[in-house]
Every structure is written in C-alpha cells, then in structure tokens.
Amino acid sequence: MSGIPSQGVASGMREAARALLAVLEPEQVRELRAGPDRLDTPELREWTYLPGPRPGLSTEGLDGRQREVVDALLTTAHGAAGAELVRGAIEVERHRRARAGHPGPDRYWVRLLGDPGGDEPWGWRLNGHHLAVHVLVTAAGVRVTPHFVGAEPARTGNGPRPGLRPLGPEEDLARELITSLGGTTRASALFAATPPDDILTRADPFADPGLLPEGLRYDRLAPGQQRLLERLVGRYLDRAPEAYARECWSDAVRRGLGSLSFAWAGGLAPGDRHYYCVRAPDFLIEYDNTQDDGNHAHSVWRHVRHDWGTDLLRGHYTEQHF
C-alpha cells in the first residue's frame, strides 16, 4: 500500500493549521488556542462523544471560508476512506439535528495545541457529538488516537442522501465474520446474548484492553475468516493517514497476528442490537449499535501506547533532559 510519507502528512497538517490561523480573527485565535502549554497534562486527556460544548473554537460561528479551512485540516488526519467516513458522520449529525428541529451550522470544537510553526511538539483536535479526532505531531511522527465516530441514526431513512450509512462497512464486515463461524468457534466469539449498551471503554483517558472480552483468536479462524478480520481491522486503521496506518499494521504483524481476537454480543441479523470488539497487543477496536433499537452506532479505535501521542511526547521530553 502506497501513501504519503509521515513527513509529508506532518507538513500538510502544518500548512493547514497555518492556513486556519490566517483566516481567523484575533478573538477566534484565542478560542482556538485554549489549553495548557505542555501537551502531556491530564486535562488534555479528557474527552467525550456526547452532545455539549468543548474547549476551543466552535465551528458554529465560522464563515464559509473558515469552515473550508477547518475541513481541510480535518482531511489531513485521515486516509481517503477515513475522510469519507468523517464526512458521512458529519452529514448524519446534520440529519439528526434537522429531524429534531435544530437545523443550523455544524457544532464542533477545534482546538490547537502548541505552535505548528515551531520545532516543538504540537497538535490539534476536533470534537463534538459523535466525532472525536485527536492529533499530535512531532519530528518523529504523527498520532491520531483516540479516534471515535458515531452515527445517530446508524442508517438515515430520508433526507438529501436516503440510506446514508457511514459505519456500514464496520458493521457488515463484522457480521459477515461472526455468521461465517460455526460450532465451537462461534461459541468462543459470542460472549453475551445481550450486548452492552455502549462501548466498554467509554471515554476513558487511557483504554484498558482488559475491559474487553477475550473472544476468538485469529489463529483459530479459517484462512477466509482471517482475511475478514484483517479487512475489519484495516477499516479502522484506514481512518489514519496511510503511512501511520501501515506502521500500525506492520507492528501487529511483527508481534504476531495470532494475538488478535474478535468477540461479539447480541443478535446476528441486520437490525438486531449488537456489539463487537477486536483486541490486539497494542490497540483495540469497539463497535456498538444498541441504542434506538439498533439504529445508533458508536465506534472507536484506541492505541494502548500511542493514544494522545504519549509515546512521542515521552521520547521528546526525555531527550530534552540530555
């Protein structure tokens, strides 16, 4: 898989962040830069995917040009599939608000951390209902987790794009995998008849893989089923810029794909309330579609070492002491 090198991703983000600063008024810049100086403070690990305001600059009051620049910055944090997914989630949120009688501009909050024009680590995030993107950039690389996308409804039934279903591939690949299993292998993957009512890690500052069921290991799957699990994992990694997605997958392969596991809870038919998760030594994936009678989906990708750019920040601040 070819893609933009990590240095190119960081350069594109830097240019997009500078472009955003250039089109904002001074008061907007002050709102954008809300936050502490250091990027490893606990306050910066507080997040939520529920409705409500966040620290930072609200997109609600931006003009057309300013919104375009925010969209360009958001695109730099994703591969092609990830960018399409995020755009779909934003469109579903517009549909939800219009259906609830609250149409209007998008309501997300953008926050710039550090100086994109300097040599020190810097980052940014975009948060709002059902969307949470967290980015950190250093000379050593780019990190983009925790990464959360939700959709309410999971499938739209009317509006400008009938049947919009941004998380459809995440659901369909997992269902194809669980329904392909039989006998003891399916029993090992199914951990509960009733699914949990949300992702198990919720908005934890640091995700604990131990909260997730062990599930069925990769090495117990038939080759075709293994490919399905790989495609499912790839769907989540494709949320990231391609260079970083390849890095995460290469790390998983190097540590042994036999350590991957898949677990499912709930019904197997489309429309049934359900949940699944994937565990790996370094990352975890969760998906639930349980609220609103199985028409309200949540999905998250967490990295045990990389969330919030912890590994890059640790390396940077350690080097400063030598």
Side-chain angles (χ1 to χ4, degrees):
M1 180 170 58
S2 62
I4 302 173
S6 57
Q7 295 89 343
V9 171
S11 176
M13 284 186 183
R14 193 181 303 273
E15 292 176 5
R18 288 173 175 170
L20 177 58
L21 290 169
V23 299
L24 296 178
E25 299 297 330
E27 179 57 32
Q28 292 175 311
V29 172
R30 283 190 287 272
E31 294 176 5
L32 178 74
R33 289 188 174 280
D37 292 333
R38 282 181 65 99
L39 302 182
D40 59 350
T41 58
E43 186 266 338
L44 293 180
R45 297 191 289 270
E46 297 174 2
W47 70 291
T48 179
Y49 44 87
L50 301 177
R54 316 285 201 269
L57 173 67
S58 172
T59 62
E60 192 170 19
L62 301 184
D63 63 29
R65 174 56 181 156
Q66 291 168 338
R67 286 196 298 271
E68 288 177 1
V69 178
V70 169
D71 290 343
L73 177 62
L74 186 59
T75 298
T76 66
H78 298 88
E84 181 181 3
L85 169 64
V86 168
R87 286 192 291 267
I90 291 172
E91 187 169 346
V92 167
E93 180 65 9
R94 292 170 184 157
H95 170 87
R96 182 194 70 82
R97 293 181 63 204
R99 189 179 60 176
H102 303 292
D106 298 334
R107 300 186 72 239
Y108 300 96
W109 285 263
V110 190
R111 193 172 181 185
L112 179 64
L113 310 164
D115 180 11
D119 297 326
E120 292 297 301
W122 67 283
W124 60 274
R125 56 192 59 184
L126 187 141
N127 297 83
H129 184 220
H130 280 164
L131 184 60
V133 179
H134 306 94
V135 180
L136 186 120
V137 184
T138 75
V142 174
R143 299 292 184 254
V144 297
T145 58
H147 192 288
F148 179 98
V149 176
E152 179 192 356
R155 181 199 293 273
T156 61
N158 49 51
R161 289 176 58 186
L164 182 63
R165 191 167 166 248
L167 289 167
E170 283 83 348
E171 178 175 332
D172 295 345
L173 284 168
R175 179 177 291 106
E176 185 177 355
L177 176 55
I178 188 65
T179 56
S180 74
L181 303 175
T184 58
T185 54
R186 180 181 291 187
S188 297
L190 287 170
F191 71 92
T194 301
D197 60 6
D198 201 348
I199 57 174
L200 297 176
T201 53
R202 304 295 174 103
D204 295 348
F206 289 103
D208 178 9
L211 294 174
L212 308 186
E214 292 187 7
L216 177 67
R217 288 175 61 95
Y218 176 94
D219 51 16
R220 290 187 59 194
L221 299 173
Q225 295 163 342
Q226 291 177 341
R227 286 191 291 273
L228 277 173
L229 182 54
E230 291 173 17
R231 288 173 59 196
L232 178 61
V233 171
R235 175 69 185 176
Y236 284 84
L237 299 188
D238 282 347
R239 298 181 179 193
E242 290 185 25
Y244 180 55
R246 289 198 309 274
E247 177 187 335
C248 290
W249 181 247
S250 295
D251 285 346
V253 171
R254 183 169 58 252
R255 298 193 64 163
L257 293 182
S259 59
L260 285 176
S261 65
F262 171 79
W264 178 285
L268 303 183
D272 288 346
R273 298 172 65 251
H274 64 282
Y275 163 97
Y276 71 79
C277 63
V278 178
R279 289 178 53 170
D282 286 337
F283 62 84
L284 61 87
I285 289 163
E286 287 192 271
Y287 175 98
D288 79 88
N289 192 346
T290 59
Q291 301 178 46
D292 301 334
D293 295 322
N295 195 24
H296 180 156
H298 293 166
S299 70
V300 71
W301 168 33
R302 304 292 303 262
H303 199 292
V304 176
R305 293 183 293 109
H306 294 180
D307 272 7
W308 316 110
T310 301
D311 61 321
L312 298 184
L313 287 174
R314 183 183 298 114
H316 174 81
Y317 291 132
T318 299
E319 290 174 1
Q320 285 187 328
H321 290 87
F322 287 93

